[in-house]
Amino acid sequence: MRLLIIGLLGGEVGTASKIARDRGAQVACADDIATGLAHVRAGKGTDVILADVALDIAALITGLRSERISVPVVACGIGNDARKAVAAIKAGAKDYIPLPPHAELIGAVLTAVAHDERALLYADPRMAAVLALADRVAASDASVLILGASGTGKEVMARYLHGRSKRAAESFVAINCAAIPDALLESELFGHEKGAFTGAVARRTGRFEEAHGGTLLLDEVSEMDPRLQAKLLRAVQEREITRVGGSQTIRINVRLLATSNRNLEACVRDGTFREDLYFRLNVVSLRLPPLAERRGDIPLLASHFIAKYAELNGADARRLSPQAERLLIDYAWPGNVRELENAIHRAVLLANGEAIGPEAIILGPPESGTVRATGSRTEGTASAEPVTVGTTLADMERSLIIDTLQHCFGNRTHAATVLGISIRTLRNKLRQYASEGIPVPPAGQLVGLQE
């Protein structure tokens, strides 16, 4: 994980830098905002910025946004200056860390932004076959196309390949082609020169240059505009790029990995993806089976997520009961590993006793209530009102909130966590329902956890 600290390194900020290094982060330092922005523009790689609140945090975030640089900023400052902390958050900082720094707090921030810790776990024979092929091609420089439905772990596989390649000591750079507007994606990939477009106040290095010597992952490459595909093809063929607004060609040395959740052969046939680019990227292809086709992985992944979220939430690491494990194995998992992770996170929060039982497992869309799996089809038992034509959004929201609160045994804090809203928002909603004469589940507590 790459951390940029902006601020004078004397005293507490220097201590934070040492803690981060001890936690395994690659730390770069800049004394002021201008130097920090220059570091980011140069493509040296930054996953998060820790900035001294004594500096102009608003100017830093405005500078990043104006140059279309997406890097999370965490503010830090001496003591508990609420005014500066609030100003930093309002300016766009993701969090605020009081100094002197606490080692565990610094570690939590790093964990929240680190992506390299995602492990590739498997036990099912189908996944073992995919890994065997991955191991055979990992050490080469061949382009690899990783295919699979959303949530199957395509980026995790890409990092696995990079970690076992001869480029493992160099940068792994990933860019989500589906998440960036077409007008910005070209600049993200190839960089730009000063004045190339409105907001290009300085030269910026793109992801190709940032990944020089290492690996570049084009995530969901099938979503790329055909015009940009032509420029990408030239970069792949000629091993050189030209920045937006520039004329100088720049030699690059990267290994390309690409992912897609679509049938690229069908995309080639319907003209939305270039055939020549497809063949350049598809030297080797790895197809990740959906979770429903590798059910042998489910108990192992569930145990991993239980340990992860128990530690994250300060809860006891419970085992799965046989009934809960059977429930997970029989479910269809349309959302694949990502859906399993979310289900286990909820179960860790809701479980009572020494084991996680089926009563703590909530599967399917939130409005469907608790789901029991039978083969590939599911049957739900929801206490929420059925959604029919004429049902208002307010009625749907109320049903979902009350149903979730019942699942959480009346515990407001954990219901808010499951719903993804603040505890204040939840309490305001409940007060509104009570004033309207709607029965609200009484407040309760999960064993060992306080409201």
Side-chain angles (χ1 to χ4, degrees), residues 183-411:
L184 305 182
L185 185 55
E186 183 177 8
S187 173
E188 288 289 327
L189 283 170
F190 303 106
H192 61 252
E193 297 291 349
K194 181 179 179 179
F197 48 79
T198 303
V201 298
R203 170 186 287 177
R204 181 184 171 192
T205 300
R207 302 299 177 89
F208 268 100
E209 290 180 80
E210 185 180 337
H212 185 74
T215 302
L216 175 62
L217 170 64
L218 303 173
D219 197 16
E220 303 302 348
V221 69
S222 53
E223 307 306 311
M224 185 180 292
D225 182 82
R227 181 192 65 81
L228 191 51
Q229 291 176 28
K231 187 167 182 178
L232 174 60
L233 176 63
R234 174 174 172 77
V236 175
Q237 289 177 330
E238 306 299 330
R239 297 289 176 178
E240 62 183 29
I241 62 167
T242 304
R243 297 191 189 106
V244 177
S247 57
Q248 178 185 2
T249 58
I250 301 164
R251 299 294 297 174
I252 53 169
N253 172 23
V254 300
R255 185 197 191 174
L256 276 178
L257 306 177
T259 74
S260 177
N261 60 11
R262 299 172 64 184
N263 184 333
L264 277 184
E265 292 180 356
C267 293
V268 169
R269 288 194 297 271
D270 64 25
T272 59
F273 200 80
R274 294 181 63 107
E275 184 178 33
D276 43 10
L277 179 58
Y278 171 68
F279 287 122
R280 284 287 182 177
L281 297 176
N282 190 26
V283 176
V284 179
S285 64
L286 297 174
R287 294 183 179 273
L288 299 186
L291 190 57
E293 294 180 10
R294 48 183 173 113
R295 297 184 184 276
D297 288 343
I298 292 174
L300 177 65
L301 290 168
S303 296
H304 169 73
F305 293 137
I306 288 171
K308 172 183 176 179
Y309 288 107
E311 180 180 1
L312 186 65
N313 291 283
D316 294 331
R318 301 175 173 90
R319 58 177 176 82
L320 273 177
S321 73
Q323 298 88 346
E325 182 175 304
R326 185 75 262 162
L327 180 64
L328 296 178
I329 291 174
D330 287 343
Y331 181 59
W333 297 114
N336 293 294
V337 179
R338 188 177 295 121
E339 184 182 3
L340 173 63
E341 181 173 5
N342 290 340
I344 294 300
H345 192 175
R346 285 193 296 267
V348 167
L349 297 175
L350 302 180
N352 289 305
E354 297 180 357
I356 295 177
E359 71 282 351
I361 306 292
I362 303 174
L363 303 176
E367 67 271 15
S368 67
T370 302
V371 172
R372 296 295 179 264
T374 355
S376 62
R377 60 187 290 272
T378 60
E379 297 175 355
T381 56
S383 60
E385 299 172 9
V387 178
T388 59
V389 175
T391 302
T392 67
L393 287 174
D395 289 340
M396 292 172 61
E397 179 187 65
R398 182 179 65 247
S399 295
L400 177 58
I401 288 175
I402 292 177
D403 188 55
T404 302
L405 195 58
Q406 290 171 342
H407 280 299
C408 295
F409 309 102
N411 185 284

